[in-house]
Amino acid sequence: MEWLVTLAGAGLVMLALRDVFHTLWHPTRRGGLSRHVMTALWKLSQWLPLRRRAAGLAGPLAMVTVVAMWAGTVVVGWALIYWPHLPEGFSFAAGLEPAEHSGLVDALYISLVTVATLGLGDIAPVEPWLRIVAPLEALVGFALLTATVSWVLEIYPALTRRRALALRLSQLQRNDPSPLRRDSAPGAGVLESLAAELARISVDFLQYPESYYFHEGEDRTSLAARVRYVADLADRGVGAPHADVRLAAALLTTALADLAAILDQRFLHGGGTVRDVCRAYAEDHGRGGS
């Protein structure tokens, strides 16, 4: 029975580490506990009375929740590993009665102290295999802290790129070029650069899917509100007399289709045309009327 509890604890630890791996180092894989947590919090924010404000908090709160879930699962898992071997597998500082420190709470205390690398030393493992396992937990705790910081530092640049593209589209829309200006080499350059930026955004959604659940800012910096204008630009360029404009418009159409496919397959699951997906994306981010 004791070893069953220990194995259950090891299983929890492996579950948490597997989720960390697939979230941070293999993010193109679908599923995972963290993805389900973030999706659930995003959907919950859609039902709250102050939808836009709640959606703005969904992404950051989801990240905090996921990190807390990882840490909590690791702590509980290692506590279950230690618990069956208390008190005989550990040495206790003077003044501590081993018989009084053999419960689950004490195992959780040992696990918390170890994962936080505090090294208080009042309760220390003495069995050889426990002396190997305990430092491993400290290494996992350090790796988890480092991974969390790296995760935050990776997601926010992706958000910046998305908002910058949205602002550029807003500027184009507010200075909508005439057909004569669009049908030129500079017009083709604009369409081609937009296609390249859309490709980067598509990669961001694949590499950092958690960024989808972040509020994109006001209308001018919301890609959800501006992405339908990309389809308008592409449609206008398809029949242009200038060959470079037609080629750039074709590239832009393809880039938008790729982005729509990623959005639909990974987040929206609604199907339909590219414009349908763009509309669903806008509505999911509270920009259906933009």
Side-chain angles (χ1 to χ4, degrees), residues 21-216:
F21 173 79
H22 283 301
T23 300
L24 301 182
W25 294 293
H26 191 197
T28 55
R29 178 188 176 277
R30 298 182 186 181
L33 292 176
S34 59
R35 197 69 46 77
H36 292 309
V37 168
M38 300 194 84
T39 302
L41 288 175
W42 176 258
K43 291 181 178 179
L44 177 63
S45 71
Q46 311 300 307
W47 291 93
L48 296 178
L50 299 176
R51 175 179 175 178
R52 184 164 293 190
R53 182 176 298 180
L57 294 174
L61 286 178
M63 286 191 71
V64 172
T65 302
V66 168
V67 172
M69 178 188 70
W70 289 340
T73 304
V74 167
V75 168
V76 172
W78 244 285
L80 291 178
I81 293 175
Y82 298 144
W83 184 25
H85 308 283
L86 278 170
E88 63 276 1
F90 293 81
S91 65
F92 295 81
L96 294 179
E97 291 294 333
E100 297 177 359
H101 297 279
S102 59
L104 180 58
V105 173
D106 300 284
L108 286 170
Y109 165 75
I110 297 170
S111 183
L112 279 170
V113 168
T114 305
V115 79
T117 65
L118 294 178
L120 299 181
D122 52 345
I123 304 178
V126 293
E127 288 190 14
W129 72 273
L130 286 174
R131 295 179 67 185
I132 299 297
V133 168
L136 286 177
E137 183 182 11
L139 288 175
V140 168
F142 181 76
L144 188 59
L145 174 62
T146 305
T148 300
V149 173
S150 300
W151 194 26
V152 173
L153 294 178
E154 288 172 348
I155 282 184
Y156 280 94
L159 293 175
T160 299
R161 287 189 290 272
R162 199 155 80 221
R163 290 166 182 165
L165 174 58
L167 184 58
R168 187 182 180 198
L169 290 171
S170 173
Q171 292 165 347
L172 281 172
Q173 194 169 13
R174 281 177 283 151
N175 298 275
D176 198 24
S178 65
L180 183 62
R181 291 163 58 193
R182 287 196 302 268
D183 188 32
S184 61
V190 169
L191 297 182
E192 188 174 351
S193 66
L194 288 177
E197 291 184 55
L198 278 182
R200 282 192 288 269
I201 299 303
S202 296
V203 172
D204 284 341
F205 277 126
L206 288 172
Q207 194 71 20
Y208 314 111
E210 299 81 11
S211 65
Y212 177 87
Y213 305 108
F214 279 73
H215 183 57
E216 295 186 335

Side-chain angles (χ1 to χ4, degrees), residues 195-252:
E197 291 184 55
L198 278 182
R200 282 192 288 269
I201 299 303
S202 296
V203 172
D204 284 341
F205 277 126
L206 288 172
Q207 194 71 20
Y208 314 111
E210 299 81 11
S211 65
Y212 177 87
Y213 305 108
F214 279 73
H215 183 57
E216 295 186 335
E218 301 304 320
D219 285 344
R220 291 184 178 180
T221 56
S222 171
L223 184 60
R226 300 296 157 194
V227 70
R228 283 172 286 182
Y229 180 63
V230 178
D232 295 337
L233 288 174
D235 289 344
R236 294 174 190 174
V238 168
H242 201 291
D244 289 344
V245 174
R246 292 198 303 272
L247 175 59
L251 290 174
L252 185 58

